Amino acid sequence: MPPEQDSREVVEGLLRRPFWRDLPLPVLVLTGAQDGTAGQLAERFNGLLPYAKPEEGAHRSLAELVDALAGASGALGGNRVGRTLLPAPRFPLTEFVLWARAQRDKKPEQWPEDKWPPQPDSRPGQEELKRRFGARFGVRPSLQADSRKRWAAGDFLVRAAVFFVPVATVVAWWLDTGITDLIPLAPGLLALLLGAGAIGLQAVRFIRGTAFSRWFRRHQYEDLRRTVGQSRPEYALRLMNASEPEIEKLLVYAMLEDLRQAYRKWPRIPWPSWGRGLYALLVLDADDPVHARFLRVLDEVLYETGIVPPLLVIAEDRGQPGPAGPPARRERRTIAKEVDDWRSRVALRGPEPRLRLAGDKLVLTGTYRPRLGRVKARAVGYWLAMLALLLAPPLYVYGSNWFGCGPGMMRAERQCVGLSDNLAEIAPDPALMPILERIKRQNEAIDTRQRVITVFYLGVLTTSHPGDDQTGGSAGELSGIAARQGAYNRLGSWQIKVELANSGQYFRHAEFAARMIRQRAAGDPDVAGVIGLAWSRTETQDAIRVLSDAHIPMLSTTNSADQTPLVYHDRPSPYFFRMAAPNSAQARAFELWLAHGLPGRKPVAPQRVAVLVEHDAEDHELYSRDLAEGLAKGPYAAARQYRFANQDELASKVDLACQDGAEVLLYTGRATFLNTVADTREHQCADKVQILAGDDVTEKLGQILVKEDFLNRPAISFVALNDVRKGQGDNRTQTEIENWIASVKATGVSRVHAWMGYDALLAVTSAINKIKASDVDESVNIAESVAYNLRGLGVGGLIQGASGKFYFSEDAESHAALPRGLWLFSTDPAAGAPDNGLVPRGSCTVDEKAPDTAELEVKCSFD
């Protein structure tokens, strides 16, 4: 026969705590056992769980026994689980009842009344108890009473931190959206303050036990409940007048409730109770009258209240014989079967606290060792979960430096976005690397004996989808900026340093990059401004708001939406300076061209124009919507609009527009879907239908024509922000840029963006020259001075730039470089056409209608 199971394995099975649902535990009464059998059954678990084995005859009353178990120095509260860092249970309810009962024996000297304890409504009695309560349960005494209280304080501080620090971090991050760069560390400071306040509140509530004190108003013994509005000193006075049997029941009940709270699995907060894998264990001797009294009261409390405490009690009763032996033909029942049978009865009929076991049935072997690996794994799992909750929100909010991105950056959509001077951390698109490497060398060659002025480039340096090429514009902007940086630094005066802020694909993380710029610029008087922000999207608007709040001037290159700078309730940012002609001017050019007639055609009626408007699911795209709204305000307001979100919708809308009789497909979307428009028009529309597009398609269309990706070479008309045929010597600044591009062997560079980028930094250096012309103190804030000097720049004499001559108006809010040009082009279907197949069809001049007005005048001429 196999060896019989060690009885301690059965006890271990009872002590093991299920993960989801706590089970009732019996009071194991060992009848007819030899002296010390209960201790032998339990001793192997000492040090592994909350454990108590009071000595026989050491206590004169049940209150003394409860004090030894759960008082200030009680055994159950001083027994921590080894190597798990789990705190021992605390007993604030029990300690309060013990303290209230103990006051009956402490009559103060010269007490004015003969009766002690005084009546609950006695005013002197209430004042005396209030003084004693403060001396016993005040914050300082509660922390200084013993080292266990200090351990408990640290324990609860950690618990509170797990819940409140992440919440405070997210709240602080949310609040920080309206904070300027005067407090660049606001998120961290707010998280610290909010977290500290919440932790302090938690510490007071839980360390002093006030969070559980409401239990006194709800427990099952109605005659001993604390009434509404009754203070704890007044309630203690009531308990002093209660009878001893009532106090005994409340003591045992409070001890069981404290244990239940210590093991309670809080649903929303990861308390250490989730990590507790073993129930508490109490060993008693039923032959001791006080222990026997405790067992009787325990039976009554369990029956009367229905509480299910996480406590296994083993009681040794040597004076009672064991149960009668089994019938002759019945198999002898083992301890394990007795326990299984008890649990079955509990599940069917409710708690039956006592389970009597014959002592002679116990099997105790010398080879038994508790198998508690899963218990410790559970505790470790709790701490790992707590650590994750503590670290995940700050990592998510403030960046992911531990995941491949450096300081000032975060990982998003497989890109490192944000601010960095380390190209390896940014991992930019390979097409940009020659340009960025040259900028890095130009920065390193700066003469540090001169004042070094920092300019930030904010644009797309990486893409999450390689097929969506957006780096041609960035390559152009960076080339123009770098060409101007080199030319200006060679003058031998103040030096320009270019730092990089990656917005990620589609400028989706422009706001984060702007926040990093703001933090970097805080307290640095040598920051001049930000160049880039080329795309018209709501994310760009968010970045403009962040930088504008920090009073940092921004010079956008090809960002043309009139709506972009309107970041203050439809009022523009005074720190936003636009280098390109706005969409309202482009819409007017469309109207004039349509009214004149597209190449080879007559004027087009508004009813024959189909406006294709791009929108995305988040409604973040501004360019297409803004351009369409500009058209809707003029003579072509009757043109029908067709909205699309992707190429499939676009194809169906083009087909529908042609069926509706459109003669011109006015495409206001991004260059990404240009192929779809051309292909659908070719196969779904009549030959007379023409395509007219906005400036965003300029670079894409030039690349397609060079590569001959349009096999059928359709005729497409479009508006460009510059004369894209130029750049080979017609403008000496353009030649300077061409030479710089050739020196770094850069490819795929957008010349329009390059000219705009050059002119943006040219405007900054022109403003710096004005600053240098006056007596400049080292503490002068360059950004504020640049913004001031950009207003009205060139009014007294136009700035000669790569994109033409320009000036900024002296208006306090709206700043657009004027005059600006718009060029009208169409592609030549004939193979081998000059200028990469681009044919000029006219040009427009955009300027103020009158001095000091924001209204622009557009004049066009047609070839």
Side-chain angles (χ1 to χ4, degrees):
M1 292 181 61
E4 193 169 353
Q5 182 184 23
D6 193 301
S7 300
R8 284 168 293 198
E9 292 186 17
V10 180
V11 174
E12 183 181 333
L14 288 170
L15 291 172
R16 285 182 182 274
R17 187 186 186 198
F19 190 79
W20 292 113
R21 184 169 176 266
D22 287 310
L23 300 175
L25 296 171
V27 176
L28 298 179
V29 181
L30 306 181
T31 60
Q34 295 181 359
D35 188 14
T37 303
Q40 295 177 35
L41 192 62
E43 63 182 352
R44 292 289 177 89
F45 304 102
N46 190 4
L48 302 175
L49 44 69
Y51 175 90
K53 184 178 180 297
E55 295 183 8
E56 182 181 0
H59 309 101
R60 294 172 296 177
S61 67
L62 184 142
E64 285 190 18
L65 176 59
V66 172
D67 189 23
L69 298 176
S73 302
L76 290 175
N79 202 313
R80 288 185 289 274
V81 180
R83 296 188 296 277
T84 62
L85 295 179
L86 292 175
R90 295 179 56 252
F91 296 89
L93 304 178
T94 311
E95 289 185 32
F96 177 79
V97 179
L98 284 169
W99 174 82
R101 181 191 177 282
Q103 304 315 301
R104 295 193 304 193
D105 302 328
K106 298 179 181 180
K107 180 179 180 181
E109 296 181 3
Q110 300 178 346
W111 180 250
E113 298 180 8
D114 294 336
K115 178 176 173 50
W116 183 264
Q119 292 296 323
D121 59 354
S122 168
R123 188 66 179 175
Q126 293 176 4
E127 291 298 325
E128 176 65 18
L129 263 292
K130 184 177 180 180
R131 181 188 65 79
R132 294 185 182 187
F133 182 86
R136 172 62 179 83
F137 293 103
V139 175
R140 291 188 62 191
S142 68
L143 294 177
Q144 295 177 349
D146 53 54
S147 61
R148 196 179 66 170
K149 283 291 179 68
R150 289 190 289 274
W151 172 274
D155 162 48
F156 279 105
L157 292 180
V158 171
R159 300 188 201 190
V162 171
F163 178 67
F164 284 103
V165 167
V167 173
T169 300
V170 175
V171 170
W173 171 74
W174 177 73
L175 290 175
D176 185 55
T177 56
I179 297 175
T180 69
D181 66 324
L182 297 177
I183 313 177
L185 299 179
L189 293 175
L190 281 173
L192 179 64
L193 293 175
L194 293 174
I199 289 169
L201 177 64
Q202 288 290 93
V204 171
R205 293 180 67 223
F206 284 92
I207 295 169
R208 297 176 62 191
T210 57
F212 295 155
S213 63
R214 63 179 178 269
W215 175 81
F216 287 115
R217 297 193 183 100
R218 302 175 180 178
H219 62 68
Q220 298 297 319
Y221 295 116
E222 297 184 11
D223 294 341
L224 295 179
R225 283 181 182 172
R226 178 181 170 190
T227 59
V228 177
Q230 189 176 48
S231 67
R232 282 175 289 176
E234 292 173 352
Y235 179 57
L237 196 57
R238 273 187 57 203
L239 296 183
M240 289 168 60
N241 286 274
S243 65
E244 187 66 16
E246 290 178 318
I247 287 294
E248 287 179 343
K249 283 186 178 181
L250 189 60
L251 272 174
V252 174
Y253 190 14
M255 187 185 82
L256 300 182
E257 175 63 20
D258 280 326
L259 274 174
R260 192 185 73 84
Q261 291 286 358
Y263 280 80
R264 180 183 178 187
K265 295 174 181 175
W266 296 74
R268 295 179 300 275
I269 306 174
W271 276 166
S273 54
W274 282 93
R276 297 189 192 277
L278 294 173
Y279 293 113
L281 179 59
L282 173 60
V283 182
L284 298 175
D285 192 334
D287 292 335
D288 184 306
V290 176
H291 292 198
R293 174 64 180 160
F294 179 90
L295 290 170
R296 287 194 297 274
V297 174
L298 177 64
D299 288 346
E300 294 177 16
V301 170
L302 293 175
Y303 178 77
E304 293 170 357
T305 65
I307 189 171
V308 180
L311 175 66
L312 177 65
V313 180
I314 300 178
E316 187 175 292
D317 191 352
R318 296 182 299 279
Q320 295 188 22
R329 295 183 180 179
R330 184 178 176 184
E331 182 182 353
R332 187 169 181 262
R333 294 168 64 86
T334 64
I335 297 296
K337 289 185 177 180
E338 293 281 3
V339 170
D340 291 341
D341 182 62
W342 181 88
R343 280 189 158 166
S344 299
R345 295 199 307 274
V346 166
L348 291 173
R349 296 192 297 274
E352 297 178 3
R354 297 204 183 192
L355 171 59
R356 298 185 179 277
L357 301 174
D360 59 353
K361 292 183 180 180
L362 295 179
V363 178
L364 304 175
T365 65
T367 59
Y368 169 75
R369 293 290 184 276
R371 296 184 295 272
L372 302 178
R374 285 184 297 173
V375 175
K376 292 181 180 179
R378 177 171 174 168
V380 171
Y382 157 73
W383 288 112
L384 290 176
M386 188 179 76
L387 186 65
L389 286 173
L390 195 60
L391 295 180
L395 283 177
Y396 178 78
V397 171
Y398 297 116
S400 52
N401 295 346
W402 286 272
F403 301 102
C405 298
M409 305 194 77
M410 73 173 182
R411 182 169 292 280
E413 299 176 282
R414 297 177 294 173
Q415 307 166 87
C416 284
V417 298
L419 181 65
S420 178
D421 57 0
N422 189 329
L423 296 181
E425 292 174 348
I426 299 175
D429 189 281
L432 301 177
M433 283 304 295
I435 302 169
L436 296 176
E437 290 285 0
R438 173 64 68 86
I439 291 175
K440 181 180 178 182
R441 291 197 296 272
Q442 291 182 180
N443 285 338
E444 293 170 348
I446 284 174
D447 183 358
T448 56
R449 294 172 298 179
Q450 302 292 336
R451 188 167 186 177
V452 179
I453 307 301
T454 300
V455 173
F456 297 96
Y457 171 73
L458 200 166
V460 177
L461 300 179
T462 59
T463 57
S464 58
H465 306 293
D468 294 341
D469 179 23
Q470 300 176 57
T471 55
S474 299
E477 290 168 336
L478 288 166
S479 297
I481 292 170
R484 180 56 190 162
Q485 178 197 21
Y488 189 78
N489 288 351
R490 284 193 294 270
L491 298 178
S493 183
W494 288 9
Q495 302 285 284
I496 297 295
K497 180 182 180 182
V498 178
E499 294 194 18
L500 306 173
N502 181 25
S503 65
Q505 188 167 21
Y506 301 134
F507 279 82
R508 285 196 179 116
H509 305 283
E511 182 186 10
F512 176 80
R515 287 179 178 278
M516 295 303 100
I517 292 174
R518 185 185 69 181
Q519 291 189 17
R520 161 68 177 78
D524 184 353
D526 294 331
V527 168
V530 177
I531 296 175
L533 301 163
W535 273 41
S536 305
R537 290 181 61 86
T538 57
E539 292 91 345
T540 311
Q541 281 188 314
D542 295 336
I544 292 169
R545 186 181 298 107
V546 169
L547 296 170
S548 183
D549 288 345
H551 303 165
I552 299 175
M554 296 151 278
L555 292 94
S556 75
T557 53
T558 59
N559 192 317
S560 58
D562 292 75
Q563 207 174 350
T564 298
L566 305 181
V567 296
Y568 295 121
H569 303 290
D570 292 331
R571 294 189 64 84
S573 163
Y575 293 91
F576 182 81
F577 295 81
R578 187 198 306 276
M579 300 304 301
N583 277 354
S584 55
Q586 191 171 157
R588 181 59 181 154
F590 280 147
E591 294 167 355
L592 294 173
W593 202 1
L594 289 168
H596 175 271
L598 296 184
R601 301 293 169 86
K602 297 179 180 180
V604 184
Q607 295 79 5
R608 296 297 182 183
V609 176
V611 183
L612 304 172
V613 185
E614 181 179 349
H615 71 96
D616 51 3
E618 299 87 5
D619 204 25
H620 290 181
E621 180 61 61
L622 296 178
Y623 171 79
S624 183
R625 182 177 67 198
D626 185 81
L627 189 54
E629 288 175 355
L631 284 164
K633 296 176 182 178
Y636 280 81
R640 186 172 179 180
Q641 294 190 2
Y642 298 81
R643 291 167 59 88
F644 67 93
N646 52 55
Q647 63 181 6
D648 295 329
E649 283 190 12
L650 175 59
S652 66
K653 297 298 182 181
V654 171
D655 186 20
L656 178 61
C658 291
Q659 292 180 25
D660 291 341
E663 295 180 3
V664 173
L665 301 173
L666 204 167
Y667 180 66
T668 65
R670 296 291 183 184
T672 308
F673 303 130
L674 183 61
N675 282 328
T676 301
V677 178
D679 185 73
T680 308
R681 190 221 70 85
E682 181 71 17
H683 300 289
Q684 302 295 126
C685 302
D687 291 340
K688 66 178 182 179
V689 177
Q690 293 181 289
I691 299 174
L692 177 60
D695 71 275
D696 193 76
V697 308
T698 304
E699 188 66 24
K700 180 77 170 180
L701 191 55
Q703 294 174 0
I704 290 174
L705 291 172
V706 169
K707 296 178 182 178
E708 297 186 355
D709 283 354
F710 276 154
L711 298 181
N712 54 12
R713 302 184 65 83
I716 298 176
S717 300
F718 65 96
V719 172
L721 298 177
N722 279 287
D723 188 347
V724 294
R725 300 170 302 162
K726 295 184 178 181
Q728 303 297 328
D730 294 342
N731 179 307
R732 283 181 295 177
T733 304
Q734 292 178 5
T735 303
E736 178 185 342
I737 297 172
E738 288 298 322
N739 291 337
W740 192 95
I741 294 172
S743 70
V744 297
K745 297 180 174 59
T747 59
V749 177
S750 166
R751 267 46 179 189
V752 173
H753 288 81
W755 302 337
M756 294 292 188
Y758 186 101
D759 289 355
L761 186 53
L762 175 62
V764 172
T765 56
S766 299
I768 289 174
N769 289 337
K770 282 190 170 187
I771 299 171
K772 289 193 298 180
S774 60
D775 293 332
V776 182
D777 188 86
E778 289 293 327
S779 62
V780 168
N781 187 287
I782 296 297
E784 290 278 9
S785 299
V786 166
Y788 176 80
N789 284 284
L790 283 175
R791 298 168 191 166
L793 180 70
V795 171
L798 299 184
I799 306 298
Q800 308 291 325
S803 60
K805 301 177 181 180
F806 68 91
Y807 70 95
F808 286 111
S809 74
E810 296 177 336
D811 187 275
E813 291 184 337
S814 298
H815 307 291
L818 296 171
R820 294 284 83 182
L822 292 173
W823 279 259
L824 314 177
F825 285 96
S826 63
T827 60
D828 189 343
D835 294 313
N836 296 330
L838 298 179
V839 179
R841 299 296 185 181
S843 63
C844 304
T845 301
V846 182
D847 205 345
E848 288 181 321
K849 193 170 187 179
D852 300 324
T853 64
E855 194 173 353
L856 301 179
E857 183 177 57
V858 181
K859 295 181 178 180
C860 294
S861 61
F862 303 95
D863 294 341

